[in-house]
Amino acid sequence: MSDGPKLFTNKPRKAQLKHKTEAGRPPSQPSMDPPRPPETPPPPPSSAQVPKETAARRYKFVWPVLLAVNVAIGAYLFLNANKKDEKEEAEVVGGAPASSASATVAVPEKTLPPEPTIVPAIIPREPIPEDEQRKLLKWMLEEKRKVKTKNPEEKKRIDEEKAILKQFIRAKSLPTI
């Protein structure tokens, strides 16, 4: 009935170990040693005899986890604070204050005169031949047929676009692009 080695809080003496091995022998094998009186087991260890471990040593596997969690939380808070500051700066630079509580003094905005818009020169291009236009419209129709719709409104819109493309393809003359 030996379950293997046992861990003891107090190491057993040699005499105790010998006594246990003699008791475990079958009766057919006589013992060569003279019989000894059974010894009483040692008293259970009291709280005064057991050395106290500090909490840091007792939970030494917890410290790396706590350190990693603290570093992760610190990095998260640091990055969110930076993002928040960038948003506030962008709002202040854009002219609108960050919040109504932080804007105690209203600063009138100076309006700049509108800048003249520069229109790029329109370059006249050659008209696209009708057969190329039809090929292009047929290609667009094929691409519309390949589209997978997610909801009925999108399907309806794509069906309308396909109908318009079919009308242009079947028409005798195409509008100039």
Side-chain angles (χ1 to χ4, degrees), residues 4 21 26 29-30 46 57 62-63 66 99 111 134 136 145 162 165 170 176:
T21 57
Q29 295 178 349
S46 65
R57 287 197 179 262
V62 174
W63 294 115
L66 280 175
S99 65
T111 57
R134 286 189 197 279
L136 181 63
R145 288 178 179 157
K162 287 195 295 188
L165 286 172
R170 292 178 186 145
T176 56

Side-chain angles (χ1 to χ4, degrees), residues 24 30 35 54 76 84 92 95 97-98 127 145 151:
T54 61
Y76 174 76
K84 195 176 201 180
V92 170
R145 288 178 179 157
N151 53 28

Side-chain angles (χ1 to χ4, degrees), residues 88-99:
E88 288 177 2
E89 288 175 5
E91 288 177 1
V92 170
V93 170
S99 65

Side-chain angles (χ1 to χ4, degrees), residues 45-59:
S46 65
S47 61
Q49 291 177 347
V50 177
K52 292 275 186 174
E53 281 188 323
T54 61
R57 287 197 179 262
R58 192 176 312 136
Y59 300 110

Side-chain angles (χ1 to χ4, degrees), residues 1 6 13 18 40-41 55 60 83 87 107 121-122 126 140 147 150 152 170:
M1 286 190 21
K6 294 185 180 179
R13 296 184 193 117
K18 269 189 177 180
T40 59
K60 64 182 175 184
K83 288 180 183 177
K87 287 180 184 177
V107 178
I122 299 174
E126 296 178 16
M140 290 171 61
V147 173
K150 296 178 183 170
R170 292 178 186 145

Side-chain angles (χ1 to χ4, degrees), residues 5-61:
K6 294 185 180 179
L7 300 175
F8 295 98
T9 54
N10 294 327
K11 187 176 177 184
R13 296 184 193 117
K14 283 187 176 182
Q16 290 173 336
L17 289 175
K18 269 189 177 180
H19 178 66
K20 286 184 180 179
T21 57
E22 287 176 4
R25 285 188 194 157
S28 63
Q29 295 178 349
S31 170
M32 300 302 256
D33 296 332
R36 295 185 189 185
E39 293 185 23
T40 59
S46 65
S47 61
Q49 291 177 347
V50 177
K52 292 275 186 174
E53 281 188 323
T54 61
R57 287 197 179 262
R58 192 176 312 136
Y59 300 110
K60 64 182 175 184
F61 60 92

Side-chain angles (χ1 to χ4, degrees), residues 119-125:
V119 179
I122 299 174
I123 302 171
R125 298 206 168 117

